[in-house]
Amino acid sequence: MAVIIDGKQVAQKTREQLKKDVEQLKKEGIIPKLTVIMVGDNPASKVYVKQKSKACNDVGVEYEEYFLDTNTTQEELLALIDKLNNDKSVNGILLQSPLPAHLDISEAFRRIDYRKDVDGFHPMNVGKLVLGQDTFISCTPFGIMRLFEEYKIDLCGKNVVIIGRSNIVGKPLVQCCLNNNATVTICHSKTKDVKEAAKNADVVVAAIGKAKFVKADMIKEGAIVIDVGINRLDTGKLVGDVDFDAVLQKASYITPVPGGVGPMTVAMLMNNVVKAAKQQNK
Ligand code: NAP
């Protein structure tokens, strides 16, 4: 039976370390600050924003939010980003997605000063990740890498199969794994045979958004299984993209949902804010 990777505990440990870093920064007169911009009235976004504000509070990071009206124009959004880019007290800027359909999110992400892009979505930071340079890494893949580190899972030479190619999870995770000397395959909705690819993998990462997509017959004995998915069943229960109970019997390590990758995402956001504050005050 697999070891269940405890994301909650690793996230807590990460936050404890960050608290110490923040205390030290405060002694030097530096108060790390995150500003979150949300446009419109998306209930899921509100939940995520609340989690981020709580995490800031916990770690000692100053938190500020702008809730903009659904009818906000692109020009108004860009003007706010410009204002925050120029505000020396703001170290990190996070634009909560999704945006209302009339707004151009790519342009807005590009407008954020890449040195304050704590989500790691700016093309400059994505490019630096591809080149293997120090950068802000998208928080979910970064959290997964932190879990590998904590559980002493060395990716060197391992076959990693990532299912899902989104810009925020699958694609940056490819680079993270590659930078750690893994051999990486990425699958998506047009992949001919996902099962065949996954069955040969030492590590399978599921980031699809389909409940229980990864079944026990899709993985090899002793595989490491990372479940990024968050799906709510009709019963209200939260489940991942992996058929947890069955895969647990066959894998060597597995992340649960909830309590696996999820808590790491917010912890790594805090990590990026503290890093931004340090870099901007060097
Ligand atoms: P996304 O943007 O919707 O991307 C889903 C990916 O899955 C796409 O690349 C899609 O392929 C692929 N896919 C869909 N059906 C497939 C199939 N039948 N076979 C193979 N690939 C398939 O999703 P996301 O933002 O990456 O999120 C994925 C999941 O992770 C969601 O449940 C989300 O809620 C969760 N999530 C969790 C966290 C966390 O902190 N734990 C953070 C982010 C996301 P195409 O590209 O071909 O369409």
PDB file of all heavy atoms in Angstrom, residues 1-5 153 202 219-225 247-254:
ATOM      1  N   MET A   1       0.830  -1.207   0.000  1.00  0.00           N
ATOM      2  CA  MET A   1       0.000   0.000   0.000  1.00  0.00           C
ATOM      3  C   MET A   1       0.876   1.274   0.000  1.00  0.00           C
ATOM      4  O   MET A   1       1.931   1.284   0.611  1.00  0.00           O
ATOM      5  CB  MET A   1      -0.909   0.001   1.231  1.00  0.00           C
ATOM      6  CG  MET A   1      -2.079   0.909   1.053  1.00  0.00           C
ATOM      7  SD  MET A   1      -3.452   0.534   2.150  1.00  0.00           S
ATOM      8  CE  MET A   1      -2.962   1.382   3.618  1.00  0.00           C
ATOM      9  N   ALA A   2       0.417   2.283  -0.690  1.00  0.00           N
ATOM     10  CA  ALA A   2       1.226   3.490  -0.881  1.00  0.00           C
ATOM     11  C   ALA A   2       1.358   4.321   0.400  1.00  0.00           C
ATOM     12  O   ALA A   2       0.481   4.287   1.274  1.00  0.00           O
ATOM     13  CB  ALA A   2       0.587   4.356  -1.966  1.00  0.00           C
ATOM     14  N   VAL A   3       2.436   5.071   0.451  1.00  0.00           N
ATOM     15  CA  VAL A   3       2.585   6.120   1.466  1.00  0.00           C
ATOM     16  C   VAL A   3       1.697   7.282   1.015  1.00  0.00           C
ATOM     17  O   VAL A   3       1.755   7.698  -0.152  1.00  0.00           O
ATOM     18  CB  VAL A   3       4.052   6.600   1.534  1.00  0.00           C
ATOM     19  CG1 VAL A   3       4.196   7.833   2.409  1.00  0.00           C
ATOM     20  CG2 VAL A   3       4.968   5.471   1.968  1.00  0.00           C
ATOM     21  N   ILE A   4       0.871   7.792   1.926  1.00  0.00           N
ATOM     22  CA  ILE A   4       0.027   8.948   1.567  1.00  0.00           C
ATOM     23  C   ILE A   4       0.807  10.224   1.856  1.00  0.00           C
ATOM     24  O   ILE A   4       1.195  10.485   3.004  1.00  0.00           O
ATOM     25  CB  ILE A   4      -1.313   8.907   2.336  1.00  0.00           C
ATOM     26  CG1 ILE A   4      -2.076   7.628   1.961  1.00  0.00           C
ATOM     27  CG2 ILE A   4      -2.145  10.150   2.023  1.00  0.00           C
ATOM     28  CD1 ILE A   4      -3.372   7.421   2.715  1.00  0.00           C
ATOM     29  N   ILE A   5       1.060  10.977   0.817  1.00  0.00           N
ATOM     30  CA  ILE A   5       1.835  12.215   0.954  1.00  0.00           C
ATOM     31  C   ILE A   5       0.969  13.268   1.650  1.00  0.00           C
ATOM     32  O   ILE A   5      -0.134  13.561   1.198  1.00  0.00           O
ATOM     33  CB  ILE A   5       2.311  12.698  -0.437  1.00  0.00           C
ATOM     34  CG1 ILE A   5       3.337  11.701  -1.002  1.00  0.00           C
ATOM     35  CG2 ILE A   5       2.873  14.112  -0.370  1.00  0.00           C
ATOM     36  CD1 ILE A   5       3.878  12.035  -2.387  1.00  0.00           C
ATOM     37  N   ILE A 153      11.979  12.121  -3.039  1.00  0.00           N
ATOM     38  CA  ILE A 153      11.723  11.434  -4.306  1.00  0.00           C
ATOM     39  C   ILE A 153      12.594  12.112  -5.365  1.00  0.00           C
ATOM     40  O   ILE A 153      12.368  13.281  -5.706  1.00  0.00           O
ATOM     41  CB  ILE A 153      10.219  11.509  -4.690  1.00  0.00           C
ATOM     42  CG1 ILE A 153       9.395  10.728  -3.650  1.00  0.00           C
ATOM     43  CG2 ILE A 153       9.991  10.984  -6.101  1.00  0.00           C
ATOM     44  CD1 ILE A 153       7.895  10.933  -3.758  1.00  0.00           C
ATOM     45  N   ASP A 202       7.116   5.965 -14.085  1.00  0.00           N
ATOM     46  CA  ASP A 202       7.510   5.844 -12.669  1.00  0.00           C
ATOM     47  C   ASP A 202       6.695   6.831 -11.844  1.00  0.00           C
ATOM     48  O   ASP A 202       6.424   6.589 -10.672  1.00  0.00           O
ATOM     49  CB  ASP A 202       8.994   6.184 -12.515  1.00  0.00           C
ATOM     50  CG  ASP A 202       9.880   5.298 -13.375  1.00  0.00           C
ATOM     51  OD1 ASP A 202       9.711   4.066 -13.286  1.00  0.00           O
ATOM     52  OD2 ASP A 202      10.700   5.826 -14.148  1.00  0.00           O
ATOM     53  N   ILE A 219      -1.772   2.404 -14.038  1.00  0.00           N
ATOM     54  CA  ILE A 219      -0.429   2.680 -13.477  1.00  0.00           C
ATOM     55  C   ILE A 219       0.306   1.360 -13.227  1.00  0.00           C
ATOM     56  O   ILE A 219      -0.318   0.305 -13.064  1.00  0.00           O
ATOM     57  CB  ILE A 219      -0.493   3.481 -12.150  1.00  0.00           C
ATOM     58  CG1 ILE A 219      -1.183   2.674 -11.047  1.00  0.00           C
ATOM     59  CG2 ILE A 219      -1.170   4.834 -12.352  1.00  0.00           C
ATOM     60  CD1 ILE A 219      -0.696   3.029  -9.666  1.00  0.00           C
ATOM     61  N   LYS A 220       1.632   1.459 -13.191  1.00  0.00           N
ATOM     62  CA  LYS A 220       2.389   0.242 -12.887  1.00  0.00           C
ATOM     63  C   LYS A 220       2.546   0.095 -11.372  1.00  0.00           C
ATOM     64  O   LYS A 220       2.420   1.082 -10.626  1.00  0.00           O
ATOM     65  CB  LYS A 220       3.729   0.241 -13.612  1.00  0.00           C
ATOM     66  CG  LYS A 220       4.781   1.178 -13.056  1.00  0.00           C
ATOM     67  CD  LYS A 220       6.102   0.965 -13.802  1.00  0.00           C
ATOM     68  CE  LYS A 220       7.184   1.858 -13.260  1.00  0.00           C
ATOM     69  NZ  LYS A 220       8.407   1.849 -14.035  1.00  0.00           N
ATOM     70  N   GLU A 221       2.843  -1.109 -10.954  1.00  0.00           N
ATOM     71  CA  GLU A 221       3.056  -1.418  -9.539  1.00  0.00           C
ATOM     72  C   GLU A 221       4.184  -0.510  -8.997  1.00  0.00           C
ATOM     73  O   GLU A 221       5.246  -0.414  -9.611  1.00  0.00           O
ATOM     74  CB  GLU A 221       3.478  -2.895  -9.454  1.00  0.00           C
ATOM     75  CG  GLU A 221       3.365  -3.537  -8.099  1.00  0.00           C
ATOM     76  CD  GLU A 221       1.937  -3.829  -7.674  1.00  0.00           C
ATOM     77  OE1 GLU A 221       1.142  -4.312  -8.501  1.00  0.00           O
ATOM     78  OE2 GLU A 221       1.634  -3.563  -6.488  1.00  0.00           O
ATOM     79  N   GLY A 222       3.932   0.168  -7.896  1.00  0.00           N
ATOM     80  CA  GLY A 222       4.988   0.987  -7.264  1.00  0.00           C
ATOM     81  C   GLY A 222       5.142   2.381  -7.848  1.00  0.00           C
ATOM     82  O   GLY A 222       6.057   3.121  -7.474  1.00  0.00           O
ATOM     83  N   ALA A 223       4.256   2.780  -8.753  1.00  0.00           N
ATOM     84  CA  ALA A 223       4.358   4.133  -9.331  1.00  0.00           C
ATOM     85  C   ALA A 223       4.057   5.195  -8.266  1.00  0.00           C
ATOM     86  O   ALA A 223       3.370   4.923  -7.265  1.00  0.00           O
ATOM     87  CB  ALA A 223       3.391   4.281 -10.496  1.00  0.00           C
ATOM     88  N   ILE A 224       4.582   6.390  -8.501  1.00  0.00           N
ATOM     89  CA  ILE A 224       4.299   7.541  -7.628  1.00  0.00           C
ATOM     90  C   ILE A 224       3.181   8.322  -8.317  1.00  0.00           C
ATOM     91  O   ILE A 224       3.296   8.646  -9.501  1.00  0.00           O
ATOM     92  CB  ILE A 224       5.569   8.403  -7.480  1.00  0.00           C
ATOM     93  CG1 ILE A 224       6.670   7.588  -6.771  1.00  0.00           C
ATOM     94  CG2 ILE A 224       5.277   9.704  -6.738  1.00  0.00           C
ATOM     95  CD1 ILE A 224       8.079   8.077  -7.040  1.00  0.00           C
ATOM     96  N   VAL A 225       2.109   8.606  -7.583  1.00  0.00           N
ATOM     97  CA  VAL A 225       0.930   9.210  -8.222  1.00  0.00           C
ATOM     98  C   VAL A 225       0.593  10.541  -7.550  1.00  0.00           C
ATOM     99  O   VAL A 225       0.354  10.598  -6.333  1.00  0.00           O
ATOM    100  CB  VAL A 225      -0.274   8.243  -8.162  1.00  0.00           C
ATOM    101  CG1 VAL A 225      -1.504   8.872  -8.815  1.00  0.00           C
ATOM    102  CG2 VAL A 225       0.067   6.927  -8.869  1.00  0.00           C
ATOM    103  N   VAL A 247      -6.057   2.974  -6.479  1.00  0.00           N
ATOM    104  CA  VAL A 247      -4.663   3.282  -6.827  1.00  0.00           C
ATOM    105  C   VAL A 247      -3.759   3.205  -5.592  1.00  0.00           C
ATOM    106  O   VAL A 247      -2.596   2.802  -5.677  1.00  0.00           O
ATOM    107  CB  VAL A 247      -4.576   4.667  -7.535  1.00  0.00           C
ATOM    108  CG1 VAL A 247      -3.131   5.103  -7.742  1.00  0.00           C
ATOM    109  CG2 VAL A 247      -5.304   4.610  -8.872  1.00  0.00           C
ATOM    110  N   LEU A 248      -4.313   3.541  -4.434  1.00  0.00           N
ATOM    111  CA  LEU A 248      -3.580   3.455  -3.156  1.00  0.00           C
ATOM    112  C   LEU A 248      -2.940   2.073  -2.963  1.00  0.00           C
ATOM    113  O   LEU A 248      -1.838   1.944  -2.449  1.00  0.00           O
ATOM    114  CB  LEU A 248      -4.567   3.747  -2.012  1.00  0.00           C
ATOM    115  CG  LEU A 248      -4.066   3.647  -0.582  1.00  0.00           C
ATOM    116  CD1 LEU A 248      -3.074   4.778  -0.281  1.00  0.00           C
ATOM    117  CD2 LEU A 248      -5.243   3.727   0.402  1.00  0.00           C
ATOM    118  N   GLN A 249      -3.658   1.035  -3.397  1.00  0.00           N
ATOM    119  CA  GLN A 249      -3.189  -0.346  -3.202  1.00  0.00           C
ATOM    120  C   GLN A 249      -1.981  -0.673  -4.080  1.00  0.00           C
ATOM    121  O   GLN A 249      -1.219  -1.570  -3.768  1.00  0.00           O
ATOM    122  CB  GLN A 249      -4.317  -1.357  -3.537  1.00  0.00           C
ATOM    123  CG  GLN A 249      -5.618  -1.125  -2.812  1.00  0.00           C
ATOM    124  CD  GLN A 249      -5.452  -1.121  -1.294  1.00  0.00           C
ATOM    125  OE1 GLN A 249      -4.661  -1.895  -0.739  1.00  0.00           O
ATOM    126  NE2 GLN A 249      -6.179  -0.237  -0.614  1.00  0.00           N
ATOM    127  N   LYS A 250      -1.826   0.041  -5.180  1.00  0.00           N
ATOM    128  CA  LYS A 250      -0.817  -0.319  -6.179  1.00  0.00           C
ATOM    129  C   LYS A 250       0.387   0.639  -6.219  1.00  0.00           C
ATOM    130  O   LYS A 250       1.492   0.236  -6.572  1.00  0.00           O
ATOM    131  CB  LYS A 250      -1.499  -0.306  -7.547  1.00  0.00           C
ATOM    132  CG  LYS A 250      -0.889  -1.243  -8.555  1.00  0.00           C
ATOM    133  CD  LYS A 250      -1.751  -1.306  -9.793  1.00  0.00           C
ATOM    134  CE  LYS A 250      -1.030  -2.040 -10.897  1.00  0.00           C
ATOM    135  NZ  LYS A 250      -1.786  -1.945 -12.167  1.00  0.00           N
ATOM    136  N   ALA A 251       0.162   1.884  -5.843  1.00  0.00           N
ATOM    137  CA  ALA A 251       1.225   2.905  -5.942  1.00  0.00           C
ATOM    138  C   ALA A 251       2.204   2.778  -4.776  1.00  0.00           C
ATOM    139  O   ALA A 251       1.944   2.069  -3.796  1.00  0.00           O
ATOM    140  CB  ALA A 251       0.574   4.289  -5.938  1.00  0.00           C
ATOM    141  N   SER A 252       3.362   3.491  -4.900  1.00  0.00           N
ATOM    142  CA  SER A 252       4.288   3.541  -3.759  1.00  0.00           C
ATOM    143  C   SER A 252       4.064   4.820  -2.943  1.00  0.00           C
ATOM    144  O   SER A 252       4.229   4.829  -1.726  1.00  0.00           O
ATOM    145  CB  SER A 252       5.737   3.458  -4.231  1.00  0.00           C
ATOM    146  OG  SER A 252       6.012   4.484  -5.148  1.00  0.00           O
ATOM    147  N   TYR A 253       3.680   5.899  -3.654  1.00  0.00           N
ATOM    148  CA  TYR A 253       3.319   7.170  -2.995  1.00  0.00           C
ATOM    149  C   TYR A 253       2.087   7.716  -3.706  1.00  0.00           C
ATOM    150  O   TYR A 253       1.958   7.575  -4.924  1.00  0.00           O
ATOM    151  CB  TYR A 253       4.427   8.224  -3.140  1.00  0.00           C
ATOM    152  CG  TYR A 253       5.676   7.946  -2.343  1.00  0.00           C
ATOM    153  CD1 TYR A 253       6.710   7.179  -2.879  1.00  0.00           C
ATOM    154  CD2 TYR A 253       5.831   8.476  -1.070  1.00  0.00           C
ATOM    155  CE1 TYR A 253       7.868   6.936  -2.160  1.00  0.00           C
ATOM    156  CE2 TYR A 253       6.972   8.239  -0.340  1.00  0.00           C
ATOM    157  CZ  TYR A 253       7.996   7.470  -0.882  1.00  0.00           C
ATOM    158  OH  TYR A 253       9.129   7.242  -0.159  1.00  0.00           O
ATOM    159  N   ILE A 254       1.249   8.402  -2.953  1.00  0.00           N
ATOM    160  CA  ILE A 254       0.069   9.011  -3.576  1.00  0.00           C
ATOM    161  C   ILE A 254      -0.324  10.274  -2.797  1.00  0.00           C
ATOM    162  O   ILE A 254      -0.147  10.334  -1.569  1.00  0.00           O
ATOM    163  CB  ILE A 254      -1.107   7.999  -3.623  1.00  0.00           C
ATOM    164  CG1 ILE A 254      -2.281   8.542  -4.455  1.00  0.00           C
ATOM    165  CG2 ILE A 254      -1.580   7.604  -2.230  1.00  0.00           C
ATOM    166  CD1 ILE A 254      -3.332   7.487  -4.799  1.00  0.00           C
TER     167      ILE A 254
END
